[in-house]
Amino acid sequence: MDFFEQQDQAHRQTRKLLFLFLLAVIAIVITVNVSLALIWSWGFGGAHGSVAPAYPRGFFLVNTFVTLLFIAGGTLFETWRLRDGGDAVAKMAGGRLVMPSSTDVRERRLLNIVEEMALASGIACPRVYILDNEDAINAFAAGYHQNEAVVAVTQGTLSRLSRDELQGVIGHEFSHILNGDMRMNIKLIGILFGIQMIAGLGQELLYWGTRFGSSRSRDDKGPPLQIIMLAVGAALFVIGYVGIFFGRLIKSAVSRQREFLADASAVQFTRNPDGIGGALRKIGGLTAVNHCGSRIDNPHAEQLSHLFLGAARPQLLSGLFATHPPLEERLKRVYGRNVAFLDASVMSEDTAAQKELPEGVFGFGARNVEAMRQAAIPPHSAINMNSAQQPGIVSAQTDERRKMSFSPVLLQAARDTQSACALVYALLLDSNQPEAFVVQQNLISQVANSQANLAQQYLLEIEAMKNSVRLPLLDLAMPALKLLTTPERAQLLSVAAKLIAADQRMTQAEFVVLAVLERRLGPQAGRSVPVRYANVAALRSEVCLLLSLVAHSHTQQNIAEAAFMRAAAILPELEFNATDLMATASSDFFDVRQALEKIHQLAPLAKPFLIRAMLAAAARAPDVHIEAPVADLLRGVCAAIDAPVPEAVVNAGGNSSN
């Protein structure tokens, strides 16, 4: 199943989540009413000599209303508290943001692996957090949207795993990013908090019940008010565990199969079962030492348990109610056989440094190919590595044939916030237009004179590379650029737009850079777009404009027409013919932006057909390599509609070097 099918399944899982939440609420409301009715009967039913308890008017209605108020209020409060998405979740788990420019050996290795995966998938490089106080092996990805995703790993993951094993863990987490799991997982945090609010109310009543003395006289019948408060508090606290029960049930129903899928994706991405497999085996080995090799000690561990790679708490309720599948079962699916656990001793920093790739060279999974050959791993495992490859993830075999290299100067610039801004400006400078170039330099100088000098320096480095490496470089700069404040982001986007307007025209390359910047740094960057169109038939004119734009990347009219008709054959329901090919030379890029905004609202299962059509239009002929300029255009389109970059486009970006 590919990226888009998984996104669609994630939407359906959300509906399943809401159904289970409704069942949990109904069960809690019934339990609360029954419990309070029994307590009222015991405490007040016989206070005036009556045999049958006389419930106050609206007794059950008030109980139900207050219960729903607590659940809804808790859910809304926690959802609001996590409004910052992945960053809020990482901080809630005790995470520390790793600066993109970090030179710590272990942190640098982690950052490099995340950068490799981002380049291979064509999405913005996520920010990285480390849970410094957690010595176990665990990790998670979180965020409402892939544009604001974060990846967090424990200190134990950094210190106990080899590079290949850490790469497998990151591949597992990128699967959650690409498959649309993150948004559902954050919703689940808020829902579970609301369900478990009743337990919190019970704890408060227990607390105040122990503080108040009895308020009844000796002539009153029934137990004292203090005892009633304690009884109600204890009942609500127990009832709260009904919420925990349902929380575990919901998490297991939603997350268990997703963990199997993420394990499979990690093998598929890295082409190395010993990556994620070795990490899981070390979790098992560490469990034999401390009883939970993936245990998280943070107070919010139970609330966040469904996000993690491994069980964050000992799984006392196995089977149906376990939040994660058993390690043995996961390993058997990875290797196709039973395997032993591994020792998870802390590795020295020298060992970590020896395993690192040369700085500036990105070759995701390249070293794993030879390891697989030596281990004689068959091409078909229990995970079916021959299945259709996830769009945007470059296989290790492909990556063995090519590596993507960046100038050390540009790489360092991409990892620092201020120099990353200068790098963005350099991507938009045009030294071939002398008059416009002077205007552009003056614009940058008005913002920061030092950045103007840096931009010129970076421009020389960029001009030595092919255009197809420019957008990957922008992807690498995203963690540093996201450290900008909201006003600083607005200023960056404003200056970028003015730099483009300096020569009174917008080229295709400039449009692509601006589209990526706006989607990843603009005010709407972290927000998901609602699905409004079920299929491409509802957007015929917008799809026609987009395919025409791609087809006209071939300057000869006959080649453009042939490319357009190849694309039309993939979308027969639109009934395109040669006369539909639009003359995009006179088209305004504002029209293209509006078309992309609508296409972004396509259902997940409709987008792959559009992407296949664009790929067909991008090549000069079937099975022909995609050229760099159109590869950049496709990267920009994929960024605008939140789709991973197809492998053919990533490969087109990898044929350049310094």
Side-chain angles (χ1 to χ4, degrees):
M1 299 179 70
D2 64 17
F3 164 79
F4 301 99
E5 289 175 315
Q6 290 303 324
Q7 275 202 332
D8 183 69
Q9 190 176 92
H11 282 294
R12 284 183 272 124
Q13 285 276 32
T14 300
R15 293 193 289 270
K16 179 180 179 181
L17 169 64
L18 293 175
F19 174 72
L20 290 173
F21 174 63
L22 180 61
L23 288 182
V25 170
I26 292 172
I28 291 172
V29 167
I30 292 174
T31 308
V32 166
N33 275 295
V34 170
S35 300
L36 293 183
L38 291 175
I39 292 173
W40 181 270
S41 176
W42 167 65
F44 298 97
H48 302 287
S50 60
V51 177
Y55 298 113
R57 189 174 184 179
F59 178 80
F60 294 104
L61 182 62
V62 171
N63 293 341
T64 300
F65 176 77
V66 172
T67 302
L68 294 177
L69 183 64
F70 267 89
I71 294 175
T75 297
L76 292 175
F77 170 78
E78 192 68 358
T79 302
W80 177 84
R81 196 158 69 101
L82 297 176
R83 65 192 180 281
D84 291 333
D87 292 288
V89 175
K91 292 173 183 176
M92 183 179 178
R96 168 181 60 86
L97 179 65
V98 181
M99 300 305 293
S101 57
S102 173
T103 57
D104 177 86
V105 172
R106 291 195 173 103
E107 291 179 1
R108 186 71 262 155
R109 181 180 66 168
L110 172 63
L111 290 169
N112 286 347
I113 291 172
V114 173
E115 289 173 347
E116 289 167 12
M117 180 63 81
L119 285 176
S121 61
I123 67 173
C125 189
R127 279 174 285 194
V128 178
Y129 282 81
I130 294 176
L131 311 184
D132 289 313
N133 298 324
E134 306 291 349
D135 190 49
I137 300 171
N138 224 325
F140 67 82
Y144 282 111
H145 195 272
Q146 67 183 37
N147 280 332
E148 52 93 35
V150 305
V151 173
V153 303
T154 61
Q155 185 62 45
T157 302
L158 280 189
S159 61
R160 298 179 186 276
L161 299 186
S162 67
R163 191 186 202 278
D164 288 349
E165 291 162 350
L166 183 58
Q167 193 178 68
V169 169
I170 299 304
H172 177 105
E173 299 310 328
F174 260 77
S175 171
H176 289 308
I177 295 174
L178 292 171
N179 290 331
D181 297 338
M182 298 187 306
R183 181 175 177 82
M184 178 179 62
N185 285 339
I186 291 189
K187 286 181 178 178
L188 191 53
I189 295 172
I191 286 174
L192 294 177
F193 185 83
I195 289 175
Q196 295 165 15
M197 277 287 289
I198 303 299
L201 175 60
Q203 285 181 306
E204 288 296 315
L205 288 176
L206 286 173
Y207 173 80
W208 290 109
T210 58
R211 294 296 185 273
F212 288 142
S214 174
S215 60
R216 289 195 171 203
S217 68
R218 294 183 179 180
D219 295 331
D220 290 333
K221 297 182 180 180
L225 181 59
Q226 180 186 28
I227 300 300
I228 293 175
M229 288 182 65
L230 291 172
V232 172
L236 292 179
F237 186 74
V238 172
I239 291 168
Y241 275 84
V242 173
I244 294 176
F245 169 84
F246 273 98
R248 280 291 183 107
L249 179 62
I250 290 171
K251 285 190 283 190
S252 64
V254 171
S255 65
R256 282 168 61 88
Q257 291 303 315
R258 311 298 287 186
E259 293 303 316
F260 283 132
L261 172 67
D263 289 343
S265 298
V267 176
Q268 187 178 339
F269 295 167
T270 63
R271 290 299 192 266
N272 179 20
D274 283 328
I276 186 61
L280 295 175
R281 293 172 73 184
K282 284 189 174 179
I283 290 176
L286 191 59
T287 299
V289 176
N290 66 4
H291 305 294
C292 190
S294 55
R295 181 186 180 92
I296 300 297
D297 293 325
N298 186 276
H300 298 288
E302 175 64 36
Q303 194 176 354
L304 304 177
S305 61
H306 58 288
L307 272 69
F308 283 96
L309 167 74
R313 284 281 190 260
Q315 301 189 139
L316 300 177
L317 297 174
S318 60
L320 180 64
F321 303 105
T323 56
H324 288 71
L327 278 176
E328 293 81 1
E329 187 177 352
R330 293 173 71 177
L331 285 169
K332 191 169 184 178
R333 292 201 184 196
V334 170
Y335 289 101
R337 64 184 189 277
N338 294 321
V339 293
F341 293 149
L342 296 176
D343 175 66
S345 300
V346 174
M347 300 173 60
S348 67
E349 290 192 3
D350 292 339
T351 302
Q354 290 172 2
K355 297 293 184 181
E356 193 50 63
L357 289 174
E359 181 72 0
V361 176
F362 294 89
F364 179 72
R367 64 162 56 87
N368 297 333
V369 179
E370 187 59 33
M372 287 180 65
R373 290 198 187 111
Q374 293 175 3
I377 295 175
H380 298 278
S381 72
I383 275 177
N384 188 14
M385 289 165 55
N386 237 10
S387 60
Q389 190 178 24
Q390 295 265 11
I393 298 294
V394 181
S395 70
Q397 288 89 338
T398 300
D399 209 60
E400 187 184 33
R401 294 193 298 269
R402 68 116 182 105
K403 286 190 178 113
M404 187 177 291
S405 300
F406 294 103
S407 159
V409 173
L410 295 178
L411 196 60
Q412 184 178 1
R415 292 169 175 168
D416 176 78
T417 303
Q418 295 305 314
S419 58
C421 292
L423 181 60
V424 170
Y425 300 149
L427 291 172
L428 296 171
L429 289 176
D430 187 1
S431 58
N432 295 322
Q433 302 286 333
E435 294 183 2
F437 186 62
V438 172
V439 174
Q440 288 177 324
Q441 288 178 305
N442 291 335
L443 282 171
I444 301 173
S445 297
Q446 293 174 9
V447 178
N449 189 58
S450 60
Q451 289 185 345
N453 295 331
L454 285 174
Q456 292 184 51
Q457 178 186 350
Y458 300 153
L459 178 61
L460 297 176
E461 299 282 346
I462 291 170
E463 288 177 339
M465 302 188 306
K466 291 186 178 180
N467 289 340
S468 55
V469 182
R470 295 188 178 211
L471 288 186
L473 190 60
L474 188 58
D475 289 338
L476 287 181
M478 279 301 146
L481 292 173
K482 287 178 180 177
L483 294 174
L484 296 170
T485 64
T486 300
E488 288 172 336
R489 290 189 188 190
Q491 177 179 275
L492 176 67
L493 293 173
S494 174
V495 173
K498 291 177 181 177
L499 290 175
I500 292 173
D503 59 357
Q504 306 299 314
R505 67 189 182 95
M506 179 184 287
T507 66
Q508 178 176 295
E510 290 170 339
F511 168 75
V512 168
V513 171
L514 186 60
V516 173
L517 287 173
E518 288 182 340
R519 183 62 194 136
R520 293 179 176 169
L521 296 176
Q524 307 297 319
R527 300 182 183 178
S528 292
V529 175
V531 174
R532 292 180 179 169
Y533 305 101
N535 51 63
V536 292
L539 297 171
R540 189 179 189 278
S541 60
E542 289 79 8
V543 172
C544 184
L545 173 59
L546 196 58
L547 295 181
S548 298
L549 186 66
V550 176
H552 277 298
S553 61
H554 314 297
T555 54
Q556 298 180 21
Q557 181 67 18
N558 62 327
I559 297 178
E561 289 179 358
F564 183 80
M565 292 311 297
R566 282 198 303 274
I570 295 175
L571 301 171
E573 65 271 31
L574 298 183
E575 300 180 347
F576 286 141
N577 54 56
T579 59
D580 288 312
L581 178 63
M582 300 172 64
T584 56
S586 58
S587 297
D588 191 334
F589 278 108
F590 179 75
D591 297 332
V592 180
R593 183 182 300 176
Q594 285 189 316
L596 287 174
E597 287 178 358
K598 288 188 176 181
I599 291 172
H600 191 191
Q601 299 170 50
L602 270 174
L605 290 180
K607 289 182 181 179
F609 296 100
L610 175 61
I611 292 177
R612 289 170 194 161
M614 288 192 299
L615 286 174
R620 296 177 63 87
D623 303 323
V624 173
H625 184 78
I626 296 176
E627 296 178 354
V630 70
D632 272 358
L633 174 61
L634 293 180
R635 276 184 174 271
V637 170
C638 288
I641 65 174
D642 292 332
V645 179
E647 181 175 337
V649 177
V650 178
N651 290 342
N655 294 327
S656 62
S657 59
N658 301 15

